Amino acid sequence: MAEFIMELNDEQKEVRDWIHGFAAEVMRPAAAEWDEREETPWPVIQEAAKIGIYSLDFYAQQYFDPTGLGIPMAMEELFWGDAGIALSIVGTGLAAVGVLANGTEEQIGTWIPQMYGTPDDVKVAAFCSSEPDAGSDVAALRTRAVYDGAKDEWVLNGTKTWATNGGIANVHVVVASVAPALGSKGHASFIVPPDTPGLSQGQKFQKHGIRASHTAEVVLEDVRIPGSCLLGGKEKLDERLARARERAKSGGERVKNAAMATFEASRPAVGAMAVGTARAAYEEALEYAKTREQFGRPIIDNQGVAFQLADMRTSIDAARLLVWRASWMAVNGKPFTAAEGSQSKLFASETAKKVTAQAVQILGGNGFTREYPVERMHRDAAIYTIFEGTSEIQRLVIARTLSGMPIR
């Protein structure tokens, strides 16, 4: 097990500086344009693919970094560049984590490469869990998967919503109920291969922030997929369902469902995204405060501004440490006995929301205009307290973990 450290090694620093250069030279100059267009920035994704940032190899290297700092370091730098474009670049990763968390070695080797495509023909993937009536309440999920034993096929029906890359993805990972009576314990994840009949894009959402990232509904109408597309395989599913039924009869402990396994693995990464956006806004505010003069002196000379910047920096550093701790724990197989993953996501996302608001305030009227990037950063930061578990849900997870009680 790798020792928990609070400093990047030389190799990690080189990777960080490489990603930072791409974020500064490619992403930031394009950020305002793609935010206005509200379209997937395919040219930027392709540039990321050409240099190796958008690739299976790159994410595998960071994911398997024994220190656990590879992924949060990469996420922070990309989201420092721009949250909307960064989410278009890393959105495929959530689907990939879904396969890594629940799939067999053969499924991992078959489907994850197809999620990324090649530098000359880039592809994206989508993880489809939320539904119009089932967001935080995953037990209310209505999408059904029924097994057709005669053909060894699964038939999926339902509507997913808030899916990053939904409908434009090459590969969709869909969470569906196979045993509705078991609630969230009866869920399973499925791969929907490219060009599968019955899958279509529904409404594309026009969002407050992260507008360069495609978010849409995914409609599933009698979607037939091979039995081999059930992540983990049917034998493993049948065993899990049998255990869940026995526990339900005896009132035993709950088991984790497929969607929660994915979110638990990805929450520290979301925290790192929030840290990147918060850091970007803080740096803009700091530079502005040092150069903007009022009453004959820089506004940073005023305690009201200087103390805000001090609090902003302190919160960002604290958020990063929580993210790094949770990431190290996850990679080294240490259980989240105090919901450390949710802690990191909660604190970092709330920090991003607060820090970007403070940055707008420090810039005053300029901060409220699109001429300055803090306006966009403030809009982008709002998503962190919402997606992959709202702040309220994170607090519920933490409280339940600490108390062992079914707090509602």
PDB file of all heavy atoms in Angstrom, residues 4-24:
ATOM      1  N   PHE A   4       0.421   7.644   2.206  1.00  0.00           N
ATOM      2  CA  PHE A   4      -0.302   8.872   1.869  1.00  0.00           C
ATOM      3  C   PHE A   4       0.647  10.056   1.955  1.00  0.00           C
ATOM      4  O   PHE A   4       1.277  10.280   2.982  1.00  0.00           O
ATOM      5  CB  PHE A   4      -1.487   9.083   2.808  1.00  0.00           C
ATOM      6  CG  PHE A   4      -2.228  10.371   2.556  1.00  0.00           C
ATOM      7  CD1 PHE A   4      -2.761  10.641   1.304  1.00  0.00           C
ATOM      8  CD2 PHE A   4      -2.366  11.319   3.557  1.00  0.00           C
ATOM      9  CE1 PHE A   4      -3.433  11.823   1.059  1.00  0.00           C
ATOM     10  CE2 PHE A   4      -3.041  12.508   3.316  1.00  0.00           C
ATOM     11  CZ  PHE A   4      -3.582  12.755   2.067  1.00  0.00           C
ATOM     12  N   ILE A   5       0.774  10.771   0.842  1.00  0.00           N
ATOM     13  CA  ILE A   5       1.667  11.931   0.800  1.00  0.00           C
ATOM     14  C   ILE A   5       0.872  13.157   0.365  1.00  0.00           C
ATOM     15  O   ILE A   5      -0.197  13.048  -0.236  1.00  0.00           O
ATOM     16  CB  ILE A   5       2.845  11.707  -0.162  1.00  0.00           C
ATOM     17  CG1 ILE A   5       2.334  11.390  -1.579  1.00  0.00           C
ATOM     18  CG2 ILE A   5       3.749  10.592   0.344  1.00  0.00           C
ATOM     19  CD1 ILE A   5       3.422  11.285  -2.609  1.00  0.00           C
ATOM     20  N   MET A   6       1.418  14.318   0.667  1.00  0.00           N
ATOM     21  CA  MET A   6       0.734  15.568   0.351  1.00  0.00           C
ATOM     22  C   MET A   6       1.500  16.401  -0.665  1.00  0.00           C
ATOM     23  O   MET A   6       1.347  17.611  -0.737  1.00  0.00           O
ATOM     24  CB  MET A   6       0.495  16.372   1.630  1.00  0.00           C
ATOM     25  CG  MET A   6      -0.505  15.708   2.568  1.00  0.00           C
ATOM     26  SD  MET A   6      -0.927  16.718   4.005  1.00  0.00           S
ATOM     27  CE  MET A   6       0.608  16.604   4.938  1.00  0.00           C
ATOM     28  N   GLU A   7       2.343  15.727  -1.451  1.00  0.00           N
ATOM     29  CA  GLU A   7       3.101  16.436  -2.471  1.00  0.00           C
ATOM     30  C   GLU A   7       3.274  15.524  -3.687  1.00  0.00           C
ATOM     31  O   GLU A   7       3.511  14.321  -3.546  1.00  0.00           O
ATOM     32  CB  GLU A   7       4.475  16.842  -1.935  1.00  0.00           C
ATOM     33  CG  GLU A   7       5.283  17.678  -2.926  1.00  0.00           C
ATOM     34  CD  GLU A   7       6.622  18.098  -2.353  1.00  0.00           C
ATOM     35  OE1 GLU A   7       6.985  17.629  -1.257  1.00  0.00           O
ATOM     36  OE2 GLU A   7       7.314  18.889  -3.018  1.00  0.00           O
ATOM     37  N   LEU A   8       3.124  16.091  -4.877  1.00  0.00           N
ATOM     38  CA  LEU A   8       3.312  15.325  -6.103  1.00  0.00           C
ATOM     39  C   LEU A   8       4.794  15.005  -6.291  1.00  0.00           C
ATOM     40  O   LEU A   8       5.660  15.821  -5.957  1.00  0.00           O
ATOM     41  CB  LEU A   8       2.810  16.115  -7.309  1.00  0.00           C
ATOM     42  CG  LEU A   8       1.328  16.532  -7.321  1.00  0.00           C
ATOM     43  CD1 LEU A   8       1.027  17.369  -8.549  1.00  0.00           C
ATOM     44  CD2 LEU A   8       0.423  15.309  -7.271  1.00  0.00           C
ATOM     45  N   ASN A   9       5.079  13.827  -6.841  1.00  0.00           N
ATOM     46  CA  ASN A   9       6.466  13.504  -7.154  1.00  0.00           C
ATOM     47  C   ASN A   9       6.864  14.161  -8.475  1.00  0.00           C
ATOM     48  O   ASN A   9       6.028  14.790  -9.142  1.00  0.00           O
ATOM     49  CB  ASN A   9       6.686  11.988  -7.188  1.00  0.00           C
ATOM     50  CG  ASN A   9       5.815  11.285  -8.214  1.00  0.00           C
ATOM     51  OD1 ASN A   9       5.592  11.791  -9.313  1.00  0.00           O
ATOM     52  ND2 ASN A   9       5.316  10.106  -7.857  1.00  0.00           N
ATOM     53  N   ASP A  10       8.121  14.024  -8.863  1.00  0.00           N
ATOM     54  CA  ASP A  10       8.616  14.722 -10.052  1.00  0.00           C
ATOM     55  C   ASP A  10       7.864  14.301 -11.315  1.00  0.00           C
ATOM     56  O   ASP A  10       7.546  15.135 -12.173  1.00  0.00           O
ATOM     57  CB  ASP A  10      10.113  14.468 -10.226  1.00  0.00           C
ATOM     58  CG  ASP A  10      10.947  15.165  -9.163  1.00  0.00           C
ATOM     59  OD1 ASP A  10      10.417  16.098  -8.520  1.00  0.00           O
ATOM     60  OD2 ASP A  10      12.114  14.774  -8.975  1.00  0.00           O
ATOM     61  N   GLU A  11       7.584  13.011 -11.457  1.00  0.00           N
ATOM     62  CA  GLU A  11       6.867  12.532 -12.641  1.00  0.00           C
ATOM     63  C   GLU A  11       5.455  13.103 -12.689  1.00  0.00           C
ATOM     64  O   GLU A  11       4.974  13.527 -13.752  1.00  0.00           O
ATOM     65  CB  GLU A  11       6.816  11.006 -12.633  1.00  0.00           C
ATOM     66  CG  GLU A  11       6.139  10.410 -13.863  1.00  0.00           C
ATOM     67  CD  GLU A  11       6.136   8.901 -13.852  1.00  0.00           C
ATOM     68  OE1 GLU A  11       6.850   8.292 -13.032  1.00  0.00           O
ATOM     69  OE2 GLU A  11       5.408   8.310 -14.683  1.00  0.00           O
ATOM     70  N   GLN A  12       4.784  13.125 -11.550  1.00  0.00           N
ATOM     71  CA  GLN A  12       3.431  13.686 -11.490  1.00  0.00           C
ATOM     72  C   GLN A  12       3.443  15.187 -11.794  1.00  0.00           C
ATOM     73  O   GLN A  12       2.525  15.701 -12.451  1.00  0.00           O
ATOM     74  CB  GLN A  12       2.825  13.431 -10.114  1.00  0.00           C
ATOM     75  CG  GLN A  12       2.485  11.970  -9.861  1.00  0.00           C
ATOM     76  CD  GLN A  12       2.173  11.700  -8.401  1.00  0.00           C
ATOM     77  OE1 GLN A  12       2.696  12.361  -7.501  1.00  0.00           O
ATOM     78  NE2 GLN A  12       1.324  10.711  -8.153  1.00  0.00           N
ATOM     79  N   LYS A  13       4.467  15.872 -11.343  1.00  0.00           N
ATOM     80  CA  LYS A  13       4.563  17.309 -11.628  1.00  0.00           C
ATOM     81  C   LYS A  13       4.734  17.558 -13.125  1.00  0.00           C
ATOM     82  O   LYS A  13       4.179  18.521 -13.674  1.00  0.00           O
ATOM     83  CB  LYS A  13       5.731  17.922 -10.850  1.00  0.00           C
ATOM     84  CG  LYS A  13       5.478  18.039  -9.360  1.00  0.00           C
ATOM     85  CD  LYS A  13       6.697  18.580  -8.626  1.00  0.00           C
ATOM     86  CE  LYS A  13       6.456  18.652  -7.134  1.00  0.00           C
ATOM     87  NZ  LYS A  13       7.662  19.130  -6.392  1.00  0.00           N
ATOM     88  N   GLU A  14       5.504  16.694 -13.797  1.00  0.00           N
ATOM     89  CA  GLU A  14       5.674  16.831 -15.252  1.00  0.00           C
ATOM     90  C   GLU A  14       4.339  16.647 -15.968  1.00  0.00           C
ATOM     91  O   GLU A  14       4.005  17.398 -16.890  1.00  0.00           O
ATOM     92  CB  GLU A  14       6.688  15.809 -15.755  1.00  0.00           C
ATOM     93  CG  GLU A  14       8.123  16.128 -15.395  1.00  0.00           C
ATOM     94  CD  GLU A  14       9.099  15.113 -15.985  1.00  0.00           C
ATOM     95  OE1 GLU A  14       8.664  14.306 -16.845  1.00  0.00           O
ATOM     96  OE2 GLU A  14      10.277  15.126 -15.596  1.00  0.00           O
ATOM     97  N   VAL A  15       3.576  15.640 -15.542  1.00  0.00           N
ATOM     98  CA  VAL A  15       2.257  15.402 -16.137  1.00  0.00           C
ATOM     99  C   VAL A  15       1.332  16.578 -15.853  1.00  0.00           C
ATOM    100  O   VAL A  15       0.608  17.048 -16.734  1.00  0.00           O
ATOM    101  CB  VAL A  15       1.650  14.088 -15.606  1.00  0.00           C
ATOM    102  CG1 VAL A  15       0.214  13.920 -16.122  1.00  0.00           C
ATOM    103  CG2 VAL A  15       2.494  12.895 -16.010  1.00  0.00           C
ATOM    104  N   ARG A  16       1.357  17.061 -14.616  1.00  0.00           N
ATOM    105  CA  ARG A  16       0.529  18.215 -14.253  1.00  0.00           C
ATOM    106  C   ARG A  16       0.848  19.416 -15.132  1.00  0.00           C
ATOM    107  O   ARG A  16      -0.061  20.082 -15.647  1.00  0.00           O
ATOM    108  CB  ARG A  16       0.764  18.578 -12.785  1.00  0.00           C
ATOM    109  CG  ARG A  16      -0.026  19.797 -12.318  1.00  0.00           C
ATOM    110  CD  ARG A  16       0.575  20.392 -11.061  1.00  0.00           C
ATOM    111  NE  ARG A  16       1.956  20.841 -11.285  1.00  0.00           N
ATOM    112  CZ  ARG A  16       2.796  21.194 -10.306  1.00  0.00           C
ATOM    113  NH1 ARG A  16       2.406  21.110  -9.041  1.00  0.00           N
ATOM    114  NH2 ARG A  16       4.017  21.599 -10.588  1.00  0.00           N
ATOM    115  N   ASP A  17       2.122  19.705 -15.310  1.00  0.00           N
ATOM    116  CA  ASP A  17       2.513  20.861 -16.113  1.00  0.00           C
ATOM    117  C   ASP A  17       2.124  20.683 -17.581  1.00  0.00           C
ATOM    118  O   ASP A  17       1.751  21.652 -18.260  1.00  0.00           O
ATOM    119  CB  ASP A  17       4.017  21.092 -16.000  1.00  0.00           C
ATOM    120  CG  ASP A  17       4.435  21.515 -14.592  1.00  0.00           C
ATOM    121  OD1 ASP A  17       3.544  21.893 -13.811  1.00  0.00           O
ATOM    122  OD2 ASP A  17       5.642  21.429 -14.279  1.00  0.00           O
ATOM    123  N   TRP A  18       2.189  19.452 -18.069  1.00  0.00           N
ATOM    124  CA  TRP A  18       1.780  19.147 -19.448  1.00  0.00           C
ATOM    125  C   TRP A  18       0.282  19.402 -19.624  1.00  0.00           C
ATOM    126  O   TRP A  18      -0.141  20.054 -20.586  1.00  0.00           O
ATOM    127  CB  TRP A  18       2.136  17.692 -19.744  1.00  0.00           C
ATOM    128  CG  TRP A  18       1.604  17.130 -21.025  1.00  0.00           C
ATOM    129  CD1 TRP A  18       1.788  17.628 -22.280  1.00  0.00           C
ATOM    130  CD2 TRP A  18       0.810  15.951 -21.175  1.00  0.00           C
ATOM    131  NE1 TRP A  18       1.157  16.816 -23.208  1.00  0.00           N
ATOM    132  CE2 TRP A  18       0.556  15.788 -22.557  1.00  0.00           C
ATOM    133  CE3 TRP A  18       0.310  15.008 -20.277  1.00  0.00           C
ATOM    134  CZ2 TRP A  18      -0.208  14.713 -23.049  1.00  0.00           C
ATOM    135  CZ3 TRP A  18      -0.430  13.953 -20.770  1.00  0.00           C
ATOM    136  CH2 TRP A  18      -0.681  13.810 -22.144  1.00  0.00           C
ATOM    137  N   ILE A  19      -0.524  18.913 -18.696  1.00  0.00           N
ATOM    138  CA  ILE A  19      -1.973  19.133 -18.773  1.00  0.00           C
ATOM    139  C   ILE A  19      -2.285  20.617 -18.613  1.00  0.00           C
ATOM    140  O   ILE A  19      -3.142  21.169 -19.315  1.00  0.00           O
ATOM    141  CB  ILE A  19      -2.706  18.319 -17.691  1.00  0.00           C
ATOM    142  CG1 ILE A  19      -2.440  16.825 -17.859  1.00  0.00           C
ATOM    143  CG2 ILE A  19      -4.209  18.581 -17.743  1.00  0.00           C
ATOM    144  CD1 ILE A  19      -2.951  15.983 -16.705  1.00  0.00           C
ATOM    145  N   HIS A  20      -1.584  21.272 -17.702  1.00  0.00           N
ATOM    146  CA  HIS A  20      -1.816  22.698 -17.480  1.00  0.00           C
ATOM    147  C   HIS A  20      -1.540  23.497 -18.751  1.00  0.00           C
ATOM    148  O   HIS A  20      -2.280  24.433 -19.080  1.00  0.00           O
ATOM    149  CB  HIS A  20      -0.923  23.204 -16.339  1.00  0.00           C
ATOM    150  CG  HIS A  20      -1.175  24.627 -15.963  1.00  0.00           C
ATOM    151  ND1 HIS A  20      -2.163  25.008 -15.087  1.00  0.00           N
ATOM    152  CD2 HIS A  20      -0.563  25.778 -16.367  1.00  0.00           C
ATOM    153  CE1 HIS A  20      -2.163  26.325 -14.967  1.00  0.00           C
ATOM    154  NE2 HIS A  20      -1.196  26.825 -15.724  1.00  0.00           N
ATOM    155  N   GLY A  21      -0.471  23.116 -19.456  1.00  0.00           N
ATOM    156  CA  GLY A  21      -0.157  23.802 -20.709  1.00  0.00           C
ATOM    157  C   GLY A  21      -1.275  23.657 -21.724  1.00  0.00           C
ATOM    158  O   GLY A  21      -1.642  24.622 -22.416  1.00  0.00           O
ATOM    159  N   PHE A  22      -1.828  22.454 -21.839  1.00  0.00           N
ATOM    160  CA  PHE A  22      -2.955  22.230 -22.758  1.00  0.00           C
ATOM    161  C   PHE A  22      -4.166  23.049 -22.316  1.00  0.00           C
ATOM    162  O   PHE A  22      -4.847  23.670 -23.153  1.00  0.00           O
ATOM    163  CB  PHE A  22      -3.314  20.740 -22.796  1.00  0.00           C
ATOM    164  CG  PHE A  22      -4.510  20.425 -23.642  1.00  0.00           C
ATOM    165  CD1 PHE A  22      -4.391  20.322 -25.020  1.00  0.00           C
ATOM    166  CD2 PHE A  22      -5.759  20.232 -23.064  1.00  0.00           C
ATOM    167  CE1 PHE A  22      -5.503  20.042 -25.818  1.00  0.00           C
ATOM    168  CE2 PHE A  22      -6.871  19.946 -23.838  1.00  0.00           C
ATOM    169  CZ  PHE A  22      -6.746  19.853 -25.223  1.00  0.00           C
ATOM    170  N   ALA A  23      -4.427  23.074 -21.018  1.00  0.00           N
ATOM    171  CA  ALA A  23      -5.569  23.829 -20.507  1.00  0.00           C
ATOM    172  C   ALA A  23      -5.420  25.325 -20.785  1.00  0.00           C
ATOM    173  O   ALA A  23      -6.381  26.001 -21.157  1.00  0.00           O
ATOM    174  CB  ALA A  23      -5.727  23.581 -19.012  1.00  0.00           C
ATOM    175  N   ALA A  24      -4.200  25.828 -20.613  1.00  0.00           N
ATOM    176  CA  ALA A  24      -3.964  27.260 -20.798  1.00  0.00           C
ATOM    177  C   ALA A  24      -3.922  27.665 -22.263  1.00  0.00           C
ATOM    178  O   ALA A  24      -4.455  28.718 -22.643  1.00  0.00           O
ATOM    179  CB  ALA A  24      -2.648  27.654 -20.114  1.00  0.00           C
TER     180      ALA A  24
END
